DNA sequence: ATTTCATAATGACATATATCAATATATTTT
DNA sequence: AAAATATATTGATATATGTCATTATGAAAT
């Protein structure tokens, strides 16, 4: 049985440099077959590293299930948590066709099944399928726009605004619910928001006292999304 | 007479999402001719806006001479100055083939001549020339890597480190000299370094007192690059 | 059940950085 | 040359945020 690579409904706005699987839609039968014969799956436990920054980019990876965090590691400083990946996100990475190195690490935050496709096969699709190339460019561009937003959030906003952005991102884009339970630690949330874990805890407490959110351990509930949006806007 | 679009030696590492002109190298004669018949040049005075964020992306633009700053504008907050563009940089922008809007503004910081190429012609090259498409992807990826570095600099480093990064960028990548005179204001430098202009002035003064740099108005001279690199590293 | 360990929470304090107001210096306009 | 305007500089002060030490809580291991 051939597993579907992606469905119409799977198209994701979320991507690590790379892309959601819309990219696979334009492949012809033969190309799809090529992916299926060469690909292999790997199971990762929560906490395990799927991609290590600096390592060779040999495969394009897409997530079958589970969730992973994308980290910009920075030797002496704290990591920057760029985004959360989940099915149907595809991981391409900016080293693609450049120096074939990884510029981020990707670490499972839940038990995660990932599917590996030889990067040369992927490259071949770009060369032989112009719609595939255009789609890839669009998805790279989408990632750019998101990075711009991240840059704006992290450099122009104060802690309240940055944490609001993180909470809204988790609620809107990742868990798709006003109420969610996360496997992210307070440190992860801090690294997403460019704060210390202590500041995350304090700011969450403030939000809680103001009735904007409710938290209990790893459970979050957004009570006043409008206020959160307002905090995000005001910075 | 047909002006050369780009020379071998012109290949730039600097790009606004888009790319240096290495991208034009793989065009065949016919394609080059197509660019030349459709393109037009515009002269901008220092301070004039070449591209306004939010406007329609109708042309790919490359700089013939002069310099321009790329700004991420953010209604209420201060602008983020992402990078400086100069010949032979090409401006494509992440709205390309997506929503055809501009996500940054580009403003001349010197008198600047820019050349406009219809974006549909550019798109056609991506569709009909797979090497062109691959080159574009590589250049988009290069931009990604630079944005990652920018993100690391702005979010993980303190003022000293951020300003050191800005000074090294201007010296190494833009003016290509330890001594340079810039048309950037202190506010521009502040927007590049995510600081206030007052903090820029104070930090420059400190650097000067420590004999790391010398400044006189718009003239800068880096006296101890090793120390500046060290400050950049330490954050 | 008890110990061990990781994570979370709190408080006191230090520090980086912004803000505001005032003045100085250029640069342009009249 | 004088006035007007933009930019640069400085100082005093406020504020946001990080650091460090301590305790609490919960999960995993024995």
């Amino acid at each position: 049985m051939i597993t579907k690579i992606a469905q119409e409904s799977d198209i994701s706005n979320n991507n690590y440099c790379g892309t959601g699987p819309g990219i696979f839609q334009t492949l012809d039968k033969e190309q799809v077959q090529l992916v299926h014969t060469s690909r292999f799956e790997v199971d990762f436990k929560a906490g395990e590293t799927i991609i290590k920054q600096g390592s060779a980019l040999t495969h394009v990876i897409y997530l079958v299930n589970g969730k992973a965090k994308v980290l910009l590691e920075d030797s002496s400083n704290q990591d920057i948590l760029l985004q959360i990946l989940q099915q149907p996100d595809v991981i391409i990475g900016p080293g693609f066709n450049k120096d074939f190195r990884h510029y981020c690490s990707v670490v499972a935050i839940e038990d995660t099944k990932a599917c590996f496709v030889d990067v040369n096969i992927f490259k071949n699709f770009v060369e032989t399928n112009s719609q595939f190339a255009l789609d890839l460019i669009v998805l790279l561009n989408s990632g750019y726009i998101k990075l711009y937003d991240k840059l704006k959030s992290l450099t122009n906003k104060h802690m309240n605004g940055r944490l609001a952005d993180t909470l809204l991102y988790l609620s809107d884009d990742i868990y798709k619910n006003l109420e969610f339970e996360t496997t992210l630690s307070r440190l992860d949330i801090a690294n997403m928001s460019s704060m210390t874990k202590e500041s995350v805890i304090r700011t969450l407490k403030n939000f809680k006292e103001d009735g904007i959110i409710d938290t209990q351990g790893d459970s979050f509930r957004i009570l006043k999304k409008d206020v959160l949006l307002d905090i995000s806007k005001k910075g």
Side-chain angles (χ1 to χ4, degrees), chain A:
Chain A
M1 190 200 84
I2 293 175
T3 309
K4 252 187 309 181
I5 294 181
Q7 301 172 285
E8 199 75 52
S9 63
D10 285 341
I11 291 170
S12 164
N13 289 315
N14 194 30
N15 56 81
Y16 154 49
C17 172
T19 164
I23 196 78
F24 287 119
Q25 309 275 322
T26 58
L27 295 180
D28 61 32
K29 236 180 220 168
E30 202 183 335
Q31 289 173 323
V32 169
Q33 193 54 43
L34 193 55
V35 169
H36 281 301
T37 51
S38 72
R39 82 207 179 91
F40 58 88
E41 288 183 348
V42 180
D43 286 304
F44 294 91
K45 291 237 167 69
E48 287 184 333
T49 297
I50 300 172
I51 293 171
K52 177 64 188 176
Q53 184 174 316
S55 68
L57 192 167
T58 55
H59 294 82
V60 168
I61 302 172
Y62 65 90
L63 298 190
V64 177
N65 58 45
K67 289 185 176 61
K69 58 185 174 185
V70 178
L71 298 176
L72 259 182
E73 299 187 48
D74 195 357
S75 46
S76 44
N77 299 300
Q78 71 174 15
D79 297 341
I80 299 169
L81 203 168
L82 280 181
Q83 58 180 165
I84 306 295
L85 300 175
Q86 62 188 336
Q87 200 267 343
D89 288 326
V90 175
I91 307 170
I92 296 176
F96 172 68
N97 216 44
K98 191 178 156 63
D99 58 1
F100 290 101
R101 300 256 161 249
H102 280 295
Y103 286 83
C104 298
S105 289
V106 177
V107 176
I109 61 168
E110 298 175 358
D111 292 353
T112 295
K113 191 190 287 292
C115 193
F116 288 67
V117 179
D118 189 313
V119 74
N120 291 307
I121 290 176
F122 193 86
K123 183 179 173 181
N124 180 255
F125 295 157
V126 177
E127 288 168 334
T128 57
N129 184 333
S130 71
Q131 188 55 48
F132 188 86
L134 272 175
D135 288 347
L136 179 55
I137 288 166
V138 170
L139 285 155
L140 289 173
N141 280 339
S142 303
Y144 254 100
I145 293 164
K146 273 187 205 109
L147 259 185
Y148 286 166
D149 286 339
K150 191 87 189 159
L151 204 60
K152 282 183 199 171
S153 173
L154 294 186
T155 66
N156 276 339
K157 294 183 187 180
H158 288 177
M159 290 199 304
N160 285 349
R162 300 202 301 270
L163 187 58
D165 283 343
T166 294
L167 293 174
L168 288 166
Y169 169 70
L170 291 176
S171 169
D172 290 341
D173 296 355
I174 304 306
Y175 298 105
K176 296 173 173 70
N177 202 315
L178 286 174
E179 195 174 356
F180 57 87
E181 191 161 353
T182 184
T183 52
L184 293 168
S185 68
R186 297 297 191 261
L187 180 59
D188 285 325
I189 294 172
N191 289 341
M192 282 178 98
S193 316
S194 192
M195 302 164 62
T196 59
K197 58 187 186 318
E198 290 93 336
S199 290
V200 166
I201 289 161
R202 271 183 262 267
T203 309
L204 284 175
K205 195 182 169 193
N206 292 341
F207 285 178
K208 208 170 164 179
E209 284 168 0
D210 295 345
I212 301 167
I213 63 165
D214 197 18
T215 63
Q216 276 212 72
D218 296 331
S219 290
F220 290 76
R221 182 201 285 257
I222 294 176
L223 301 172
K224 295 181 186 166
K225 187 173 176 181
D226 52 333
V227 177
L228 219 46
L229 284 166
D230 204 51
I231 292 172
S232 161
K233 205 168 189 178
K234 282 192 190 145

